[in-house]
Amino acid sequence: MPGTSNHRAAATTVAAVALLTAVIAVVMLPFSGTEEAWTEWFYLNDVIVAVVYGLLAGLLLSRGARTVGALAGLAAIGCGLAAIGQRYPLLEVPGGPPFAEQLLDVVGTAWVPGTLALITVVPWLVRDDRLPRHARVAVAAGATVSAAITLARVIRPVNGVIRVGSPEWDAFVENTLPVQMGVVVLLGLWATGDAVLRWRRLPEDRRRGLGWLAIGSALMALSFVPLALPLEVSRPIAYASVTPILQMAAQAFFPAATLAVVLRQRLWGIDVAVSRTLVWSLLTAVSVAAYVLLAQGVVALVPLPDGTAGAVAAAVLAMAVFPARTWLQDRVDHLVRGPSARPGTAAERLARRIGSDAAGPVEGALEAIRESLRLHSVRLEIPDRSTEDRKTDEDGTDSAAEDRGATNNSAKNGAADVQVLAAAGDPGGPPLTVDLSYGGAHAGWLVVTGAPGEKLDARTKKDLAVLAGPVAAVAQLAVRTGELDAARARTTAARVEERRLLRRELHDRLGPTLVGVGLTVRGARNLLDTGRTAEAAGMLDQLRVELDRSAEDVRTLARALLPPSLERHGLGAAVSELAGRLGGPDLAVTASVSGDTGDLPPELAAGLYGIAAEALVNARRHARADSATVRLAVDGGNVVLEVADDGRGLDGAAEPGIGLRSMRERTEELGGTLALGTAVPRGTLVRVVVPR
């Protein structure tokens, strides 16, 4: 797209020019002399601004943030030119470098427009809505003041870039510097106040990062307070290097604060992942720099004797300031890492929330991890059991376990293979996935995200690995609890179904039979009363046949619920009887029993009997089989049941029916596994393995 290409071209140009000015200023350093310490601090500050704001401007301009990006680029290029102008006259060349006087004037002017705009204008523009009326007034005031101060410094008869006007005008500009900077400070504090109000009043998703922007804006405004003091006060402070040090600290913090808002709110469509390691490293560097600058500032402000005494005094002061740096480093760790920065805190919070959270142990565990590791969202995913069942049905083996192992590193084959067990928070930046295992088996995935624009690092993954064990245990507990609830529901449903079956048999078959018996007896009695004995005898013979059929129906119903042979002689005898009862001319059924099956637990025997009966019924009704074989074996600690037929085999496209689901549910209730495969040479093989 043409617009995107223009944005990228402008971004590349601005960033390249800013970085080029910084490189030129740095390359000139070894070939130039030195000045007073406070000017060297200003030089260092200008180089830092050129690099940092040049990169910031490139990022913003490339994503279409034209105004803020342009102002950041103006500050970067201006400070880069100021650094060149400050170093160029000091080049050690015979006769001095040419145009040195003109470049000295650039030093006092190039940094002004961009830097003042950063203080007075940019904080108002870092937002996701239209500027309200008061903000438009503030932006106009900031732009006007920045332009006026720049113009006043450009057009001066003595130190200006354009040397016109009277000496009185030059003196006026110089003497009113505190007033000029005072106005800048007030406008900067106004922008800070607006950022604070937005942070307090806006909803959570729109105020992300505004606290950092308020702090950065305040630091930028306050760093210019020394320049707003009377000249007789501000100049000694500047000569002591305090002013440039304050400005350098503020200039280092403000772009990070701006990015905090831009990236967390994804302003202007910017979605860039910033590593936690990078943030931690930058903040740590800032804390170290603050420590060094604070020690240097104290040494500069406190009169010290020359020689050894001064060195000893400086060492004592540095040691006194060291606890402050340690405290600051702890705050940085806590800011970036959260409570997990302190050993054991995350695990302690996790254990506390598991047992006390009203939402449940899984939800409490995820919320504890989110809070402890400063995460934006935490999601617990487990393999979808229904998907595994489908794969097992189609492949004939438990290939779902192989698939789970193959997808541990690739974070799942797709959404269809994953069930979200619980989640805390809303998705933010790029996800980080940690595998969970329990008892040596894969148990699921822990998927976490940082804030929008934040990329989680290896330290976060290491912290999650420590917590993965308890989370996997809690997840398994929740899964097993769910399975128990489902099994309880299935048991209840089975009891209801059995009662419904009994009611149907009694109402539809036994009831009418008994009514018919009564009518037949009455009819036979009437025939006997009329002397029609032969007809009455024939009617009673028919009644006997009907009663025999009803008795067999009752016995069949009793065997379907629980065959007597299962209680009397064990599972082996019951399976052999089942094969004989279901076998016939249309389906030849043979049974093979090995091992001691007589002392199996009743619930285990009843469950396997039901599976065998269901498999044989399926072979008769659906498989169009001519023969079937039932094999029952006790092998060590397991009981193996196999039912094979020579029918038409499995239909991979068909959905599992009630019979197959019933067999699988019975197997799961027994704690075993069920696999469907192809019999040899053809047909279907049902193999069930349950622990004895």
Side-chain angles (χ1 to χ4, degrees), residues 547-568:
L547 288 175
D548 290 342
R549 185 183 298 113
S550 298
E552 183 61 28
D553 289 342
V554 171
R555 283 192 293 270
T556 301
L557 178 62
R559 293 191 193 100
L561 295 176
L562 190 65
S565 59
L566 186 62
E567 288 187 298
R568 296 173 185 171

Side-chain angles (χ1 to χ4, degrees), residues 5 23 84 100 107 121 125 163 249 310 368 370 394 399 449 505 566:
S5 301
V23 169
I84 293 175
V107 173
V121 176
L125 301 179
R163 300 192 173 185
R370 190 173 74 92
E394 296 172 3
S399 60
T449 64
E505 291 293 332
L566 186 62

Side-chain angles (χ1 to χ4, degrees), residues 532-544:
R532 299 159 65 182
T533 306
E535 294 181 20
M539 185 174 292
L540 291 176
D541 289 339
Q542 293 178 2
L543 176 61
R544 181 178 57 82

Side-chain angles (χ1 to χ4, degrees), residues 195-213:
V196 172
L197 289 178
R198 283 190 284 156
W199 176 73
R200 295 184 61 180
R201 295 176 178 177
L202 290 178
E204 175 66 26
D205 58 335
R206 294 185 56 200
R207 69 179 185 183
R208 295 184 185 130
L210 284 177
W212 292 110
L213 180 64

Side-chain angles (χ1 to χ4, degrees), residues 273-298:
V274 177
S275 171
R276 277 192 171 188
T277 300
L278 176 60
V279 175
W280 182 87
S281 301
L282 290 175
L283 291 179
T284 299
V286 170
S287 68
V288 173
Y291 162 64
V292 174
L293 295 176
L294 183 58
Q296 290 290 335
V298 173

